[in-house]
């Protein structure tokens, strides 16, 4: 018996290239249909669904919008969103902690993309995993609430560094929880120098105009 | 959709288990291209801004590799530090806890020149040995 000879080959390939390939297909689909896809990421409880509910309600009649919402198991979020008259489809991710491009691609046939202007891709609540997965979105919004502390941008640098806009939610609670606005904005700017920041409250409605401008694709 | 449990790993490791499965897909493709049945070792490059924890990836890998050509392969993870470009100091190595700021002068370094990679770098193939077959 002879000993097998190892041979070292240099590969230098992106581990997520299959996802990136599917994301490029999704992006082409969205572009062809004239849909602006917006990927929303945040920690659990940062207020993604509340912001989407408010957006669907306030912009109803002005824009045609729909939501694909990723969740580990339940269908609560999709049911909440449907109450506002927009189509909402759940992507049940099971044990998977993020949406990936293939999951989004699989749900797209359920939408009439040609009749849509904006498709929200509400990611699983998690600031780690979703950062690695391009879904084919036109823009990525990362939400952080005033109740979760100012250091999140430095603890999750990848998520914030891939954001096209950072939204600070629950501003109506800022004073009550002692939120340090300047420190939070400083940390966001360290993670992603120059990124636009929108401060808002889905409850009071303060700051929503800037968010709606982003949703429409206007400069922020 | 495929199961991501990789033989009973907990939810905390799910991200790295997902990454490990994608890594095994890419590596298996290379094995096929080279006509090799299995690999004895592989090296991956993980940037500090890639959101992947090297220890978690190393921990998730063996269970995910079971039953593939990567089973039993030795996984080495090379951590790649962030590199930015300071207008004053040129290329600088970044400190992940301080964000995209020049460590010398604090100037913003908005573009990562390195440190966001997540790539299969090298694969050590075990050539099919005819006398063993
Ligand atoms: Zn400098």
């Amino acid at each position: 018996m002879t000993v097998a000879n190892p041979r070292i080959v240099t590969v230098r390939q992106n581990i997520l290239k299959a996802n990136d390939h599917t994301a490029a297909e999704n992006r082409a689909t969205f572009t062809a249909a004239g849909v602006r896809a917006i990927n929303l990421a945040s920690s659990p409880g940062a207020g993604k669904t509340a912001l989407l509910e408010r957006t669907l309600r306030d912009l109803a009649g002005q824009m045609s919008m729909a939501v694909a919402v990723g969740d580990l198991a339940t269908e609560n979020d999709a049911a909440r969103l449907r109450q506002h008259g927009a189509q909402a489809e759940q992507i049940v991710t099971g044990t998977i902690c993020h949406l990936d491009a293939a999951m989004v691609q699989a749900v797209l046939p359920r939408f009439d993309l040609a009749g849509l202007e904006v498709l929200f891709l509400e990611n699983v609540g998690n600031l780690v995993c979703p950062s690695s997965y391009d879904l084919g979105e036109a823009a990525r919004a990362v939400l952080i609430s005033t109740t979760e502390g100012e250091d999140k941008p430095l603890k999750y640098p990848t998520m914030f560094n891939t954001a096209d806009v950072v939204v600070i939610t629950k501003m109506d609670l800022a004073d009550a929880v002692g939120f340090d606005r300047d420190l939070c904005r400083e940390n966001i700017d360290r993670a992603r120098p120059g990124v636009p920041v929108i401060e808002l409250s889905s409850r009071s409605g303060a700051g929503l105009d800037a968010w709606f401008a982003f949703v429409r694709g206007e400069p922020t | 959709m495929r199961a991501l449990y990789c033989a009973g790993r907990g939810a905390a490791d799910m991200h790295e288990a997902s990454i490990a499965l994608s890594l095994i897909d890419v590596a298996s493709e290379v094995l096929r291209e080279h006509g090799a049945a299995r690999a004895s070792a592989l090296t991956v490059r993980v940037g500090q801004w890639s959101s992947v924890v090297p220890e978690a990836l190393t921990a998730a890998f063996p269970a995910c590799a079971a039953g593939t050509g990567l089973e039993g392969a030795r996984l080495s993870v090379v951590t790649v530090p962030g590199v930015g470009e300071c207008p004053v100091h040129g290329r600088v190595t970044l400190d992940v806890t301080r964000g995209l700021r020049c460590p010398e002068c604090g100037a913003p370094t908005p573009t990562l020149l390195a440190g966001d990679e997540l790539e299969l770098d090298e694969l050590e193939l075990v050539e099919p040995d005819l006398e063993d077959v």
Side-chain angles (χ1 to χ4, degrees):
Chain A
M1 195 187 108
T2 54
V3 177
N5 299 315
R7 176 159 65 104
I8 293 173
V9 293
T10 300
V11 182
R12 283 285 166 109
Q13 282 182 17
N14 179 359
I15 290 170
L16 296 178
K17 64 177 186 167
N19 184 76
D20 290 350
H21 178 78
T22 307
E25 291 176 351
N26 291 350
R27 192 164 279 117
T29 301
F30 294 138
T31 303
V35 176
R36 175 168 166 81
I38 298 174
N39 182 355
L40 283 110
S42 78
S43 299
K48 287 191 302 294
T49 307
L51 178 59
L52 284 180
E53 284 186 280
R54 181 80 198 228
T55 305
L56 296 177
R57 199 169 73 217
D58 286 16
L59 297 184
Q62 296 178 40
M63 293 186 83
S64 55
M65 298 167 286
V67 187
V69 49
D71 210 343
L72 296 173
T74 67
E75 207 169 327
N76 294 341
D77 284 352
R80 265 174 74 183
L81 292 162
R82 281 185 204 116
Q83 293 175 349
H84 305 282
Q87 185 182 0
E89 297 291 341
Q90 192 88 6
I91 302 173
V92 178
T93 60
T95 60
I96 304 172
C97 46
H98 56 265
L99 290 178
D100 68 27
M103 296 177 205
V104 170
Q105 190 166 64
V107 82
L108 290 184
R110 293 197 230 156
F111 294 96
D112 171 25
L113 293 178
L116 273 185
E117 287 163 88
V118 171
L119 177 63
F120 294 104
L121 307 171
E122 183 182 345
N123 224 309
V124 181
N126 174 345
L127 284 175
V128 181
C129 320
S131 62
S132 303
Y133 293 87
D134 182 8
L135 305 180
E137 70 267 23
R140 184 176 286 198
V142 177
L143 278 60
I144 175 175
S145 69
T146 55
T147 56
E148 58 189 307
E150 298 84 3
D151 59 343
K152 284 274 167 77
L154 294 179
K155 280 164 89 173
Y156 302 98
T158 311
M159 191 77 254
F160 283 87
N161 185 43
T162 58
D164 295 298
V165 67
V166 175
V167 179
I168 306 176
T169 61
K170 305 188 189 179
M171 283 304 291
D172 54 307
L173 299 177
D175 289 343
V177 298
F179 175 68
D180 187 336
R181 175 179 179 272
D182 291 342
L183 177 60
C184 187
R185 293 187 73 116
E186 161 73 17
N187 287 342
I188 291 168
D189 197 65
R190 279 179 177 272
R192 177 73 151 164
V195 70
V197 178
I198 297 171
E199 299 173 2
L200 57 76
S201 165
S202 302
R203 188 185 295 172
S204 75
L208 285 175
D209 286 349
W211 165 249
F212 293 157
F214 168 78
V215 169
R216 291 189 192 99
E218 295 161 5
T220 31
Chain B
M1 197 183 305
R2 50 203 254 197
L4 269 182
Y5 259 131
C6 297
R9 300 218 68 85
D13 300 321
M14 288 325 303
H15 181 46
E16 278 74 14
S18 304
I19 301 295
L21 285 173
S22 297
L23 165 62
I24 289 159
D25 282 347
V26 173
S28 299
E29 195 183 308
V30 177
L31 289 183
R32 277 193 302 276
E33 283 166 6
H34 286 82
R38 61 188 191 90
S40 50
L42 67 170
T43 306
V44 302
R45 287 160 48 84
V46 172
Q48 282 190 320
W49 265 262
S50 72
S51 83
V52 170
V53 179
E55 293 75 19
L57 180 60
T58 311
F61 180 77
C64 295
T68 76
L70 283 303
E71 182 166 346
R74 191 175 68 253
L75 172 64
S76 308
V77 178
V78 176
T79 301
V80 182
V83 176
E85 182 141 37
C86 171
V88 178
H89 297 94
R91 284 173 72 98
V92 286
T93 300
L94 303 170
D95 174 350
V96 74
T97 63
R98 296 179 56 194
L100 298 180
R101 286 286 190 275
C102 173
E104 304 285 332
C105 67
T109 57
T111 307
L112 271 178
L113 302 178
D116 61 353
E117 43 282 274
L118 188 54
E119 58 184 31
L120 172 58
D121 190 19
E122 284 184 349
L123 204 52
E124 188 179 284
L125 308 181
V126 180
E127 301 292 355
D129 190 319
L130 293 175
E131 291 179 48
D132 283 345
V133 173

